[in-house]
Amino acid sequence: MKNHSHEPVTIAVVGSGYVGLVASACFAEIGHRVICVDNDEAKVRTLQAGGIPIHEDYLPELLNQHRGGRLEFTTDLRNAAQTAQAIFIAVGTPQSRTGSADLSFVDAVASEIARSIDSYKVIVEKSTVPVYTNEWIRRVIERNGVPKDLFDVASNPEFLREGTAVVDFLHPDRIVVGAATDRASALLKQIYEPLTSGEYYRGDNRIPGPRTESELPPLLLTSTKAAEIIKHASNAFLATKISFINVVANICEAAGADVEEVAKGIGLDSRIGNKFLRAGVGYGGSCFPKDVAAFRNVAELVGVDFGLLHEVEKINEDQIHRFFQKVRSALWTFRGKKIGVLGLAFKGGTDDIRESPAIEIVKKLLSEGCIVSAYDPAAEARTKELIPAGAQMRYVDSPYAAAQDADALLILNDWSEFAELDLAKLHYTLRYPIIIDGRNLYDPTTMTEHGFTYLSVGRPGLSQPVDPISVFHEPRKRDKA
Ligand code: UGA
């Protein structure tokens, strides 16, 4: 954005993880001055030097465009807090042993902000935090001697998906602002005005996405507590949708129906909607598992029985075991079998392997004595830190290299390139034409026509175990030649 009629705001964003870095780049993109703070000196040096620590569409473009201009990186929280009008806290809220969110990073940042500020600031929680955190931050700041009229604490949760975070930020379904005073809500409205007024969507160099001048994102003004609950409830609801369809998939599998047809039939009801009804190996990532546990914990703390979320978690765990059983039924025995694996990240489009069902499955395969050849377009480096390459674990650079002479190929996440494989080439490359698809990327009939034994999730005939005799004893085309 070159010309902007709105009044730019000076913003400090504390934390340069997924949320902090994307928010920083996008606030700069819509015309604000942004100081992104992190206490990790090496990371800040990398960011200052043009490095991009995460795989995220459009992020390199935005960082390159705004770095050194409207966007700067620093370790100096004190100076950033003093300079900024709004201070966004976007530090990690990892899961503690009890499942609750560990707020020690938020606590440390709030205390340091309190020690730094000498004029009015709006302190905004962007990290996913349990209800009451807002009040708790307010108390921390007051306890550090800051007068009540020198600050407000607001809540502005993010709903970004990894991989599409930049587009989600700039073209949001909604912007939620939880604020207790007009002063705080006015500043947050000013920050988002380039989006809510449509100014950004009129610009020539905007990042493309679903929002246009005639389809503006709504800004929902709520209490701070409601904003906090909206974030947890949204993620918990989406996770529930996934676990729900996964159980329906298991019913389909047993009954001989196709879950894809069922999901379509359910999703056409506008009250339900067709999104997040893809059956598979279950949800993972840094958000859903953590937030479902944290929301369950919040419910417990306030004395509400949210047993539903226990079930959601249990179904999600079971889904990996069910998938693994499917692999076992196809392979008969594991020791010494060569397995090709497509996908290591918790979903396609990201390099994030946190709570990835794919990693869970790979670890199980290795512990059973399989030899794994894995390919993921972005997550190899991160996975290597966890599972180093070795005789049993190989990292390869294409889907066909993963399939080379494998006894079976597993599809474990949904990178778009995994859905566009050359099936004839794949058939030729595999030692045995067995594909076990944990993301339902292919049509079973097409796969059968191509000569594959194809197992997926919640589709007809899958309850029948593969007949290992016929699969393993049928000579392959190549052998025949
Ligand atoms: C999720 C939410 O979608 C965001 O709105 C939220 O801001 C974010 O968490 C967060 O709290 O920070 P993300 O974790 O990036 O975003 O990933 P999703 O695209 O939501 O997928 C989560 C998991 O569910 C993945 O493992 C994905 O493969 C799985 N999934 C998703 C399914 O199994 N089926 C579906 O139909 C959809």
Side-chain angles (χ1 to χ4, degrees):
M1 271 192 62
K2 301 249 158 9
N3 306 310
H4 34 84
S5 56
H6 70 275
E7 190 65 28
V9 175
T10 301
I11 297 172
V13 177
V14 188
S16 66
Y18 275 96
V19 175
L21 193 55
V22 170
S24 298
C26 291
F27 282 142
E29 168 73 359
I30 59 174
H32 302 298
R33 179 185 167 207
V34 182
I35 310 164
C36 179
V37 190
D38 202 296
N39 60 4
D40 180 337
E41 286 182 18
K43 197 169 179 196
V44 168
R45 270 198 304 275
T46 305
L47 287 164
Q48 285 168 336
I52 294 152
I54 53 172
H55 178 95
E56 202 58 55
D57 278 355
Y58 295 115
L59 189 62
E61 288 89 326
L62 294 192
L63 291 179
N64 288 337
Q65 194 179 340
H66 300 298
R67 184 189 299 109
R70 286 200 287 264
L71 174 59
E72 61 181 286
F73 297 98
T74 178
T75 52
D76 188 347
L77 174 56
R78 186 182 174 79
N79 189 43
Q82 283 173 352
T83 313
Q85 298 160 269
I87 306 162
F88 284 77
I89 302 180
V91 295
T93 51
Q95 191 173 331
S96 74
R97 262 198 222 145
T98 58
S100 65
D102 173 355
L103 298 178
S104 47
F105 297 121
V106 178
D107 192 352
V109 168
S111 303
E112 195 165 346
I113 291 171
R115 288 193 292 271
S116 309
I117 57 180
D118 49 15
S119 61
Y120 176 76
K121 310 288 169 189
V122 179
I123 296 152
V124 192
E125 22 150 328
K126 203 134 186 71
S127 306
T128 305
V129 289
V131 64
Y132 295 124
T133 306
N134 204 284
E135 243 173 58
W136 176 73
I137 294 178
R138 186 192 321 278
R139 276 192 218 148
V140 169
I141 294 179
E142 271 175 21
R143 212 175 293 147
N144 278 276
V146 181
K148 276 192 173 71
D149 60 351
L150 217 54
F151 75 99
D152 276 307
V153 185
S155 174
N156 171 222
E158 55 77 25
F159 305 99
L160 316 175
R161 288 163 300 172
E162 288 183 19
T164 56
V166 168
V167 174
D168 290 343
F169 190 102
L170 295 168
H171 296 264
D173 282 352
R174 78 296 206 191
I175 297 159
V176 174
V177 169
T181 68
D182 291 346
R183 208 175 174 192
S185 61
L187 188 67
L188 278 152
K189 280 186 188 161
Q190 188 184 336
I191 289 173
Y192 285 105
E193 202 190 313
L195 302 181
T196 53
S197 69
E199 187 189 327
Y200 180 69
Y201 309 114
R202 287 191 288 276
D204 294 335
N205 299 325
R206 67 186 181 278
I207 299 292
R211 290 287 172 196
T212 61
E213 267 184 277
S214 49
E215 290 274 350
L216 297 175
L219 186 144
L220 181 69
L221 201 54
T222 68
S223 70
T224 51
K225 285 182 190 144
E228 291 167 326
I229 294 176
I230 286 170
K231 171 66 193 186
H232 267 155
S234 297
N235 274 0
F237 189 81
L238 290 169
T240 304
K241 247 184 141 177
I242 298 170
S243 279
F244 183 88
I245 199 66
N246 279 335
V247 179
V248 172
N250 300 338
I251 294 173
C252 287
E253 223 167 283
D258 183 338
V259 70
E260 299 297 321
E261 286 180 6
V262 174
K264 197 169 179 188
I266 305 171
L268 281 169
D269 185 326
S270 59
R271 293 169 301 176
I272 297 174
N274 61 5
K275 299 202 176 123
F276 276 67
L277 286 179
R278 276 179 288 115
V281 284
Y283 62 77
S286 66
C287 303
F288 284 178
K290 168 173 79 77
D291 289 354
V292 170
F295 200 35
R296 185 167 49 68
N297 196 267
V298 165
E300 249 167 60
L301 286 177
V302 298
V304 173
D305 179 7
F306 209 159
L308 174 66
L309 293 185
H310 272 294
E311 275 307 304
V312 167
E313 290 173 317
K314 186 175 165 298
I315 293 163
N316 199 52
E317 280 161 26
D318 287 351
Q319 204 60 12
I320 291 188
H321 300 305
R322 281 186 71 97
F323 183 80
F324 201 72
Q325 280 312 112
K326 207 169 278 173
V327 180
R328 193 187 291 279
S329 78
L331 289 174
W332 221 7
T333 58
F334 278 126
R335 189 150 298 279
K337 290 266 163 71
K338 196 171 169 233
I339 311 291
V341 162
L342 300 188
L344 295 164
F346 78 97
K347 64 173 185 177
T350 175
D351 59 349
D352 196 340
I353 58 163
R354 286 176 287 178
E355 303 287 327
S356 169
I359 299 290
E360 200 58 25
I361 290 163
V362 167
K363 280 187 183 164
K364 272 172 166 288
L365 291 169
L366 294 173
S367 73
E368 295 271 359
C370 294
I371 298 155
V372 174
S373 283
Y375 169 67
D376 187 291
E380 180 183 322
R382 284 178 193 251
T383 311
K384 271 184 177 158
E385 289 169 17
L386 196 71
I387 311 173
Q392 239 191 303
M393 181 72 188
R394 297 169 192 161
Y395 293 91
V396 294
D397 57 7
S398 81
Y400 306 101
Q404 188 69 50
D405 293 322
D407 292 297
L409 184 70
L410 312 189
I411 303 178
L412 300 182
N413 72 19
D414 55 357
W415 279 94
S416 52
E417 70 174 275
F418 297 164
E420 295 157 4
L421 298 172
D422 176 338
L423 296 179
K425 184 172 172 186
L426 201 59
H427 192 277
Y428 182 80
T429 309
L430 280 160
R431 182 149 187 257
Y432 293 105
I434 302 175
I435 296 187
I436 307 162
D437 181 357
R439 297 290 178 170
N440 289 358
L441 300 187
Y442 287 93
D443 168 42
T445 313
T446 312
M447 296 306 269
T448 309
E449 281 165 11
H450 276 81
F452 288 104
T453 295
Y454 176 72
L455 307 187
S456 53
V457 181
R459 301 199 282 178
L462 302 182
S463 53
Q464 270 96 52
V466 179
D467 174 2
I469 309 291
S470 68
V471 173
F472 285 106
H473 291 261
E474 199 172 300
R476 303 175 59 240
K477 268 196 216 117
R478 209 170 4 155
D479 299 336
K480 279 187 226 155

